[in-house]
C-alpha cells in the first residue's frame, strides 16, 4: 500500500470529504493543502488571492507540497489547481499515488452552488456563467488530472469503492 496518497480534481469534486474518510480507513493522517497554506500563512485562501494575487498563492501551494512530500502515511486533498501548476503533478506522481476524482462539469456546478467554501475563482458567478467557466477551466486542466495513476468517477463515490480500487492497483 502506498504511504502517500494524493486526491486530485476540480474544485467541488469531493477531495476533502473523501480524503478524510480514506485517511480514517487507512489510519493515515489527513492533510488538506488549502488548510495547511492557511495555517502557515495566517491568511485565508480568498485573502491570499485578493491581497497577493494568484501567482503568489501558486508559489505557496508548491512550497506546501514540498513540505507534504516529507510526510508519510498521509492522504492529501490537493487544491483544484495544484496539479496544474509548476511541476507539482510530476512531484506527486514521483512520491505517491495520485487519484483523480472525475466529475462532469454539470455535477461540479451543482456541488459548487451548494458549497459553503469560499472559492475566489468562482465567487459571484451565476449558474450559466459558472458552467461555462467550469467547462473551459476543466478542459485546460484535465490533461494534468488525467496523468493520475487512478481515474475514478467521483459522483456518489463511497470510500469503500475508493479503497477497493486502490487495493486492486497493488
Ligand atoms: C483552486 C481550488 C481551491 C483552492 C483555490 C484555488 C483552483 O481548492 O486551492 O481556491 O485553482 O481550482 P479546492 O479544489 O479544494 O476547492
Amino acid at each position: 500500500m502506498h504511504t502517500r496518497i494524493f486526491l486530485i480534481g476540480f474544485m467541488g469534486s469531493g477531495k476533502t470529504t473523501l480524503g478524510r474518510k480514506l485517511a480514517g480507513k487507512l489510519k493515515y493522517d489527513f492533510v488538506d493543502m488549502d488548510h495547511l497554506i492557511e495555517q502557515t500563512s495566517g491568511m485565508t485562501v480568498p485573502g491570499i488571492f485578493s491581497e497577493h494575487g494568484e501567482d503568489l498563492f501558486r508559489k505557496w501551494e508548491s512550497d506546501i507540497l514540498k513540505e507534504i512530500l516529507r510526510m508519510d502515511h498521509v492522504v492529501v486533498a490537493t487544491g483544484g489547481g495544484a496539479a496544474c501548476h509548476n511541476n507539482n503533478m510530476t512531484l506527486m506522481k514521483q512520491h505517491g499515488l495520485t487519484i483523480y476524482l472525475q466529475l462532469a462539469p454539470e455535477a461540479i456546478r451543482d456541488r459548487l452552488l451548494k458549497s459553503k467554501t469560499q472559492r475566489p475563482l468562482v465567487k459571484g458567478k451565476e449558474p450559466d456563467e459558472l458552467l461555462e467557466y467550469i467547462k473551459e477551466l476543466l478542459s485546460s486542466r484535465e490533461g494534468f488530472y488525467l496523468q493520475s495513476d487512478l481515474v475514478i468517477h467521483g459522483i456518489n463515490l463511497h470510500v469503500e469503492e475508493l479503497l477497493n480500487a486502490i487495493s486492486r492497483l497493488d
Side-chain angles (χ1 to χ4, degrees):
M1 181 59 85
H2 293 265
T3 60
R4 232 174 265 119
I5 298 176
F6 296 98
L7 297 186
I8 283 163
F10 209 84
M11 294 171 261
S13 57
K15 293 162 292 183
T16 301
T17 309
L18 269 165
R20 193 171 278 121
K21 289 184 185 165
L22 182 63
K25 291 272 179 196
L26 293 171
K27 304 206 176 357
Y28 282 12
D29 290 330
F30 172 69
V31 172
D32 181 274
M33 272 180 85
D34 287 336
H35 190 228
L36 210 52
I37 295 168
E38 290 184 331
Q39 271 185 331
T40 310
S41 65
M43 299 180 73
T44 62
V45 170
I48 300 169
F49 269 73
S50 65
E51 283 186 38
H52 299 296
E54 183 174 346
D55 287 354
L56 190 66
F57 175 78
R58 296 302 171 198
K59 183 184 178 307
W60 288 358
E61 189 174 53
S62 299
D63 291 347
I64 283 294
L65 176 62
K66 294 193 184 91
E67 294 297 318
I68 291 171
L69 296 181
R70 296 198 285 196
M71 302 174 187
D72 238 339
H73 299 100
V74 70
V75 175
V76 185
T78 65
C84 318
H85 290 88
N86 304 317
N87 66 338
N88 297 345
M89 189 65 192
T90 307
L91 281 178
M92 290 191 278
K93 283 176 65 70
Q94 281 169 349
H95 292 89
L97 179 72
T98 46
I99 303 175
Y100 172 29
L101 304 180
Q102 189 176 43
L103 265 84
E106 291 75 9
I108 294 173
R109 189 228 352 228
D110 295 347
R111 294 251 190 115
L112 288 178
L113 287 172
K114 284 188 206 135
S115 170
K116 292 194 177 72
T117 306
Q118 300 270 338
R119 293 180 169 98
L121 293 179
V122 296
K123 191 170 180 246
K125 289 196 168 40
E126 294 300 325
D128 285 352
E129 187 197 355
L130 179 60
L131 184 59
E132 282 318 301
Y133 179 75
I134 293 166
K135 284 181 179 169
E136 231 172 78
L137 191 57
L138 184 60
S139 74
S140 74
R141 287 182 169 182
E142 210 166 35
F144 290 97
Y145 296 159
L146 287 169
Q147 293 170 30
S148 298
D149 302 301
L150 180 65
V151 178
I152 189 158
H153 286 286
I155 201 87
N156 299 325
L157 177 62
H158 293 284
V159 68
E160 286 77 14
E161 257 174 90
L162 184 56
L163 210 48
N164 286 339
I166 295 171
S167 39
R168 281 197 295 271
L169 289 175
D170 289 330

